[in-house]
Amino acid sequence: MDSFEQEGNGAALESLPPPPPVPPDVVPIKAESDAKKIVRHPMARRGVGTKGQKVTILTNHFKVSVGSTDGHFYHYSVSLSYEDGRPVDGKGVGRKVIDRVHETYKNDLDGKNFAYDGEKSLFTIGPLPNNKLEFTVVLEDVAPTRNNGNASPDGQDSPNGRERKRLRRPYHSKTFKVEISYAAKIPMQAIQNALRGQESENSQEALRVLDIILRQHAAKQGCLLVRQSFFQDNQNNFTDIGGGVLGCRGFHSSFRATQGGLSLNIDVSTTMIIQPGPVVDFLLANQNARDPYSLDWNKAKRVLKNLRIKVSPSNQEYKITGLSEQLCKDQLFSMKQKNTKNENGEAETLEITIYDYFVNHRNIQLRYSADLPCINVGKPKRPTYIPIELCSLVSLQRYTKALSTFQRASLVEKSRQKPQERMNVLSNVLRTSNYGAEPMLKSCGVNINSNFTQVDGRILPAPRLRVGNGEDFFPRNGRWNFNNKKLVEPSRIERWAVVNFSAPRCDPNNIARDLIRCGEMKGIRIDPPFDIFNEMNQNRRLSPVVRVEKMFEQIQSKLPGAPQFLLCLLPDRKNSDLYGPWKRKNLSEYGIVTQCMAPARVNDQYLTNLLLKINAKLGGLNSMLTIEQTPSIPMISKVPTIILGMDVSHGSPGQSDVPSIAAVEILFLIIEFLLLPSIELIMEVIEA
């Protein structure tokens, strides 16, 4: 073993001989660091557009000027814990604690304002007095009284003296320990660098700080925060989309580095919230039930869990943990007697129902709670039961489950806005947000222009289409009308059938006859349907999945083989519960092409649009761009080209178990024969 391994680095260096002298005719070369700083520059434009009609466009960006860029944002890591060392994990608690730190220790913090993200990061302009600071703060909250079900929810007329003593002070204190540790500093100059195209990690971090300031500003105004979207508790922003769910309109707000400089991007945004108000009203809407006595309480228990309620008449706020196992009139708990003691000197207990306690001991009249379960706001082993009609859901609670087809259609319909209405909303948002009064934005010298940013745009001429018989035609007002036009490649339909879930709203025979007639006008030859399957009356009250199964039993019993396609007549337009199960059964299980329609206001124009979809699904070609029939396509026909198309689909809200699926399509345009070997090599690599 050599001396280096025996004695460590220092001993090894001392034992080495000195380096040889540098010859007089040799000029030393300065070593360069291998770590090269990556500077990203935006892609240079080749020029501006020249085609089409020039037009001025208003964008939902508001120009921002930054007065001070000499200082630094200081980034601090925040650690919150209770007095006993347990970490704080409740949402919303962090902001209250940091606000109390700012109020209590303002002088110790040199009067610095905070930009806090609500979790682990805090930013200031300029440094705090020390790199590590520790504070202790106390928050007072309304005490959620718990006494194995005995405690009175509004803190009045408690069953025993000890409880009365405790409830004389309606607030209880919680002590928090706060550690703020230096993490990094971000030069404000990075914002200006980003605007000059010298974008770096610091630039992104600096813009992130500005966005955190916006979030904090919205939080102080009592908004619901969903990333960079903010939603106010305003009835005018709510719209009922069914099932006890409201669409809540808010706005998105974030800073963006653009070619024109720094801008504030504001846009309308919509999220789903639980209908606030009496719990029973929400459950009736959610389950579409006639009265409280026909509710499915297992379903109610799942949907109510963890929602926040306010209890009457105390107006205290709680989180729902479950429901009572028995009805309010049957659910017993042990109430301690005030003046009766046993032989051990302890207060005796009386078994009493929740209903009897509230009606006879609290003098609170209950109209319908006796025959319904109670809301539990306690712990599983220490429940606190409250009659359901005394409970109201707090506003601005997000609904994160998947929407039904009806709810999605309703949300899209009610969220639609005309451009002028949208502009008025955004102008009002900027005015009411009052960003100019935000202390940290003022410290940065941020000034937001109240006018929409104007940019130049161009209206390009609509492309010319080629239809059947070599005929060209142009769109009018952005629309193509296929009336009196033949299709480029019409399909032939020989084996098909009609499935009618809509009877007796329509005559499927008339629809089949009119479809054949319109198909002939488009060049599609359609044979008469093999059969028309009408849903049996006794099946219409079944669930959508079972209705589809019953219909397929009819189809399989009569059709000799798989049809080319099935025309399905649905009872409701856009939002039928049958649509999903029907599509899944046809496409996923049997691979049968199907076309759904709602038989309301069926005319030739409607049937023509329907035939365009059917023809495309069956492999036909409705139309093509005129340019596709020319020998050369601009750009890509003159050089060897590979076109890649990429897309990612995500699960719908409330479907966290559905993975995101990425798809890549590769199209090779082989222009020269010499490219074939290299293309084949690429294909071998892809297959490998």
Side-chain angles (χ1 to χ4, degrees), residues 118-218:
E119 296 180 5
K120 302 287 187 182
S121 293
L122 181 148
F123 299 87
T124 61
I125 298 175
L128 294 174
N130 295 301
N131 284 346
K132 186 170 184 179
L133 298 165
E134 295 184 0
F135 303 103
T136 300
V137 293
V138 177
L139 290 184
E140 292 180 337
D141 268 334
V142 176
T145 56
R146 311 207 195 286
N147 187 25
N148 292 330
N150 294 353
S152 163
D154 62 358
Q156 298 176 7
D157 192 25
S158 181
N160 58 73
R162 183 179 58 186
E163 196 68 19
R164 278 202 310 274
K165 279 184 183 179
R166 189 162 70 88
L167 291 173
R168 284 197 186 110
R169 47 187 182 88
Y171 294 94
H172 78 291
S173 301
K174 282 189 178 179
T175 302
F176 297 88
K177 292 182 178 179
V178 183
E179 290 185 4
I180 300 177
S181 305
Y182 170 78
K185 67 178 181 178
I186 306 156
M188 293 186 192
Q189 186 63 39
I191 299 174
Q192 295 292 351
N193 292 343
L195 303 181
R196 291 196 293 265
Q198 300 171 353
E199 199 170 341
S200 65
E201 183 178 348
N202 279 337
S203 303
Q204 295 299 320
E205 281 296 301
L207 293 179
R208 175 173 167 253
V209 175
L210 295 181
D211 284 342
I212 288 172
I213 295 173
L214 296 183
R215 279 178 58 84
Q216 177 175 268
H217 185 67

Side-chain angles (χ1 to χ4, degrees), residues 498-504 506 508 532-535 540 551 567-570 599:
V498 179
V499 175
N500 181 24
F501 287 104
S502 186
C506 66
I532 293 176
F533 298 93
N534 292 301
E535 185 179 30
R540 289 181 190 148
M551 181 61 76
L567 180 66
C568 178
L569 309 182
L570 295 175

Side-chain angles (χ1 to χ4, degrees), residues 356-376:
D356 187 20
Y357 170 72
F358 276 88
V359 172
N360 297 323
H361 290 75
R362 298 282 305 284
N363 296 319
I364 297 176
Q365 295 303 312
L366 300 177
R367 294 177 294 116
Y368 55 81
S369 292
D371 296 309
L372 303 178
C374 298
I375 297 292
N376 182 14

Side-chain angles (χ1 to χ4, degrees), residues 293-478:
Y293 310 108
S294 56
L295 289 168
D296 181 340
W297 291 103
N298 287 326
K299 183 177 179 181
K301 185 177 181 179
R302 291 193 299 271
V303 77
L304 289 177
K305 189 173 177 63
N306 293 326
L307 293 181
R308 301 191 315 279
I309 57 170
K310 279 192 175 180
V311 176
S312 173
S314 67
N315 212 32
Q316 291 187 35
E317 189 171 317
Y318 299 87
K319 181 185 286 187
I320 298 176
T321 56
L323 300 175
S324 62
E325 295 293 332
Q326 299 179 5
L327 302 179
C328 185
K329 66 181 181 181
D330 300 323
Q331 182 66 53
L332 294 169
F333 74 98
S334 299
M335 184 177 74
K336 292 182 180 180
Q337 299 296 294
K338 295 180 180 179
N339 303 317
T340 307
K341 295 184 179 181
N342 59 22
E343 56 188 16
N344 297 324
E346 297 176 350
E348 290 189 354
T349 60
L350 173 68
E351 290 292 308
I352 186 174
T353 66
I354 301 293
Y355 181 83
D356 187 20
Y357 170 72
F358 276 88
V359 172
N360 297 323
H361 290 75
R362 298 282 305 284
N363 296 319
I364 297 176
Q365 295 303 312
L366 300 177
R367 294 177 294 116
Y368 55 81
S369 292
D371 296 309
L372 303 178
C374 298
I375 297 292
N376 182 14
V377 297
K379 296 180 180 178
K381 294 184 179 180
R382 299 184 64 189
T384 298
Y385 295 122
I386 303 172
I388 197 167
E389 68 184 270
L390 301 182
C391 303
S392 293
L393 289 164
V394 175
S395 189
L396 292 184
Q397 298 191 74
R398 289 188 70 199
Y399 181 82
T400 56
K401 296 178 176 58
L403 297 179
S404 66
T405 306
F406 175 84
Q407 287 172 323
R408 280 198 303 271
S410 179
L411 182 64
V412 170
E413 183 69 26
K414 293 179 179 180
S415 298
R416 190 176 295 124
Q417 286 180 310
K418 293 182 178 179
Q420 190 60 49
E421 180 187 358
R422 192 170 179 180
M423 287 178 63
N424 292 337
V425 169
L426 297 183
S427 295
N428 186 55
V429 163
L430 184 61
R431 184 176 63 256
T432 57
S433 294
N434 196 20
Y435 288 138
E438 213 295 321
M440 289 200 68
L441 291 182
K442 287 174 69 175
S443 299
C444 299
V446 170
N447 183 49
I448 303 170
N449 194 309
S450 60
N451 297 321
F452 289 85
T453 301
Q454 290 190 0
V455 297
D456 291 332
R458 289 183 176 273
I459 302 175
L460 299 178
R464 186 169 54 178
L465 292 187
R466 178 70 51 86
V467 291
N469 300 330
E471 184 181 355
D472 291 351
F473 78 112
F474 297 89
R476 290 185 178 179
N477 299 323

Side-chain angles (χ1 to χ4, degrees), residues 4 6 87 129-130 252 306 315 347 382 403 516 537 572 578 614:
F4 178 78
Q6 289 178 347
N130 295 301
H252 167 93
N306 293 326
N315 212 32
R382 299 184 64 189
L403 297 179
I516 293 171
N537 291 335
D572 304 304
L578 290 164
I614 294 170

